[in-house]
Amino acid sequence: MKKKIQLFCLPYAGGSSLVFKDWKNHFSPRIEIIPIEFAGRGKRIHENGYSDIDEAVDDVFRFLKNNVTTPHYALFGHSLGAFIAYFVCQKIIDTKFQLPVHVFFSGKGAITAGKASGRKVHLLDNEDFIEEILSLGGTPPEFFEHPELLELFLPVLRNDFRIAESEVEHLKIQPLDIDISAFFGTNEDLTNIQKNNWKLHTTKSCSLHYFEGGHFFINDQIKAVTKQIGKELNSFDTF
């Protein structure tokens, strides 16, 4: 009988662990879904948000060290979650912690040296920032009609974008010695180079998968996304 695999899931900017609340219904009992809650939202709403990418990485890495209870685990991150997951993997290499058996980078172009984005969305004024968020989809327009929600949500979302737009000018690519997968929406604003460059980040297999929709395809294509994850993880033999 194949042993259990823990799948740690990192949400996108503004998202909480609730992004993955229904995922367990789409996996066999062999795969245990463990959503990671970032500081400043959900169950950790009373904590301060991260000051920089290093603090976010340290927090997630600490969570992994305290919660990996099986010989085999995997990581899934979407957008900001993929960005943080990448640097968590670098920390895993540096500290010689147990490597995951597979990493899924979703809704994010490959990490390369240089600025993460030429345009700093987190510096926009509220009106333009909200317009940018709406253009990405994933957040109902009606949400922005409630001032009390905006007061709580906008600072968290803006800080998430600040982290996601961190500069990585002196990045040294340390390829992972494991298989990785990259997931994209068919309508995402990413170049082929940004997608294909994920292949530089592993010494083993890198598979690219496309799902109908835009940046938030993981919310609309849960069945297809989880099916592909399950296929990858169930092919890993842990007898």
Side-chain angles (χ1 to χ4, degrees):
M1 181 177 181
K2 292 185 178 182
K3 295 179 182 178
K4 181 171 289 189
I5 294 178
Q6 293 176 298
L7 177 61
F8 292 87
C9 302
L10 289 70
Y12 45 75
S16 72
S17 59
L18 290 177
V19 170
F20 307 104
K21 65 182 177 65
D22 295 327
W23 276 35
K24 64 181 180 181
N25 299 324
H26 297 274
F27 288 97
S28 68
R30 182 198 182 199
I31 300 173
E32 179 187 5
I33 305 302
I34 305 177
I36 292 181
E37 194 79 272
F38 293 153
R41 80 286 316 279
K43 300 173 184 177
R44 304 177 65 185
I45 189 67
H46 298 298
E47 298 180 33
N48 293 327
Y50 303 122
S51 59
D52 54 32
I53 182 63
D54 290 336
E55 188 174 344
V57 168
D58 287 345
D59 183 56
V60 172
F61 180 69
R62 184 164 50 249
F63 183 87
L64 288 179
K65 288 186 69 175
N66 292 335
N67 291 276
V68 170
T69 59
T70 66
H72 309 285
Y73 74 97
L75 299 178
F76 174 93
H78 184 78
S79 195
L80 172 65
F83 187 63
I84 293 176
Y86 172 81
F87 288 104
V88 168
C89 288
Q90 299 301 301
K91 190 173 181 71
I92 288 172
I93 294 175
D94 292 340
T95 61
K96 296 180 171 55
F97 183 63
Q98 172 186 346
L99 275 171
V101 297
H102 201 109
V103 182
F104 301 88
F105 298 106
S106 177
K108 180 72 178 175
I111 312 299
T112 53
K115 295 184 177 180
S117 173
R119 185 166 179 245
K120 298 297 186 183
V121 174
H122 75 276
L123 295 177
L124 297 175
D125 60 38
N126 279 354
E127 183 178 346
D128 289 338
F129 184 70
I130 291 173
E131 185 176 335
E132 183 74 20
I133 300 306
L134 287 172
S135 71
L136 290 173
T139 306
E142 310 83 62
F143 179 90
F144 296 99
E145 298 174 4
H146 300 278
E148 67 280 5
L149 292 179
L150 282 181
E151 186 177 354
L152 290 173
F153 182 67
L154 274 191
V156 172
L157 190 55
R158 191 182 292 277
N159 191 59
D160 281 356
F161 268 78
R162 181 179 63 81
I163 298 295
E165 293 169 349
S166 300
E167 295 183 4
V168 287
E169 292 180 349
H170 304 293
L171 174 68
K172 178 185 176 182
I173 294 178
Q174 299 185 88
L176 298 170
D177 192 29
I178 56 173
D179 293 341
I180 67 174
S181 298
F183 290 1
F184 309 103
T186 53
N187 298 323
E188 283 207 82
D189 187 21
L190 292 170
T191 67
N192 287 333
I193 291 178
Q194 287 175 301
K195 299 170 186 175
N196 290 322
N197 274 359
W198 276 119
K199 297 175 182 178
L200 301 176
H201 293 286
T202 179
T203 60
K204 294 192 174 179
S205 171
C206 174
S207 57
L208 308 184
H209 303 277
Y210 295 85
F211 302 87
E212 190 67 31
H215 184 61
F216 287 99
F217 64 88
I218 67 164
N219 292 336
D220 302 322
Q221 302 292 335
I222 293 177
K223 187 174 181 179
V225 169
T226 53
K227 181 179 180 180
Q228 185 59 45
I229 294 172
K231 181 179 178 181
E232 298 282 2
L233 294 183
N234 283 316
S235 67
F236 182 80
D237 292 328
T238 56
F239 291 98

